[in-house]
Structures are given as C-alpha cells and as structure tokens.
Amino acid sequence: MTVMSIARFERFFRTAAGLNVDKNDLKRYSDFVDAKLYDLLTVAQATAKANGRDVIRTCDLPITKGLQESIHHFRKIDQDVELKPILEQLATHPALDRTPDEETEAAYPDIIGGLSLALAQSFKILHPDLKNPQTQHWDEVRAVFDLLL
C-alpha cells in the first residue's frame, strides 16, 4: 500500500470515529474487509441459488438497514477523504459457485466503505475513550461483526 493510501486510511478513521490507526491496523483492516465481503457474498450466493439464478445480483446481498445507513454516511465522508478509489482495489472476491453481475461488483467499494464506517464506529461504541485500537480491540469488534454478519 502506498504512503498516500495509508494517509487516506488514517484520515478516514480519524474522520469516522476519532481513531488513530497505523500500518499494523491496516493489515487487520484489510483482513476484516476480505472476510466480511466474503461473508456477504456467501449469503448472496445462497440467495441467488435459491432463486434459480447463476448470477449474484445486488438484491441478493444481505444489506441491513444499519449497513445501508453506514454506506450513505460513508459516501458523504468520502467526498473529503477520497478513499473509494483505494477500496476499488481492495474489492476483490473469492471464487464462488455463482458469479456476481457487474452492478454487484460495482457496489463493492460502497459496501466496503459502509462496513469500514461501521467498523470504526464500533470501536467507539465498545470503547468510547479509545484513540489507538490494539489487537484486543480489533478482536472484540471482529467478534461482534462475525456474530451479526
């Protein structure tokens, strides 16, 4: 990841939740994004299969009301932070039985942005005074997302 990309992530986490992140956090973040996108696509794949389709559509993704609101809020923040171009590079998906259509793939950066915003805010919900997330904090937040997504 380039220095400019790291700076944008740092700025995003500061803007989203007043958190200071470093390079180690960005590795954890990347792992989180990969896992949660995979989880969403796994459920979407099952929905597409149940509906007799070989293609995953955006409507197959289990986007909750809260995640939808986080996506909208991310779009507003991203006007200043400009993280979306970097998220497009992170928005890869593993091999699936069903292939996402172009519209679904195009939605990945916004979905990842919404997940990212929810992630940052979750740190503050669990630890209101937190400034610099440590491994323990990442593990706790990840456990909550694993439970819900």
Side-chain angles (χ1 to χ4, degrees):
M1 188 173 292
T2 67
V3 173
M4 187 166 85
S5 298
I6 293 169
R8 285 186 188 176
F9 276 107
E10 290 171 344
R11 184 172 175 207
F12 171 76
F13 277 93
R14 274 192 311 275
T15 301
L19 296 171
N20 297 318
V21 295
D22 57 28
K23 283 184 182 181
N24 294 330
D25 292 318
L26 295 181
K27 170 66 173 129
R28 293 180 190 114
Y29 167 78
S30 179
D31 292 345
F32 170 84
V33 165
D34 288 344
K36 293 301 111 194
L37 183 58
Y38 177 77
D39 290 348
L40 291 171
L41 288 169
T42 299
V43 173
Q45 178 176 256
T47 302
K49 183 177 182 180
N51 288 315
R53 283 186 273 103
D54 292 333
V55 175
I56 296 172
R57 295 185 182 154
T58 307
C59 62
D60 296 324
L61 292 164
I63 306 295
T64 63
K65 177 183 177 277
L67 180 52
Q68 187 66 46
E69 289 172 0
S70 292
I71 290 168
H72 290 304
H73 190 172
F74 165 75
R75 288 177 182 148
K76 292 176 185 174
I77 290 173
D78 194 49
Q79 292 174 3
D80 294 329
V81 180
E82 297 178 3
L83 193 61
K84 193 171 179 178
I86 298 165
L87 296 181
E88 288 171 354
Q89 296 170 9
L90 290 177
T92 60
H93 64 81
L96 303 165
D97 292 340
R98 304 284 188 269
T99 304
D101 64 14
E102 288 181 24
E103 180 183 330
T104 302
E105 288 184 338
Y108 290 174
D110 283 334
I111 293 168
I112 292 170
L115 286 169
S116 302
L117 182 68
L119 170 72
Q121 292 176 341
S122 294
F123 283 114
K124 288 302 214 174
I125 291 169
L126 294 174
H127 302 280
D129 297 327
L130 184 67
K131 293 294 178 195
N132 189 355
Q134 301 300 311
T135 302
Q136 166 198 345
H137 303 117
W138 280 94
D139 292 345
E140 290 172 3
V141 170
R142 178 94 182 244
V144 171
F145 274 83
D146 288 345
L147 181 65
L148 298 173
L149 285 182

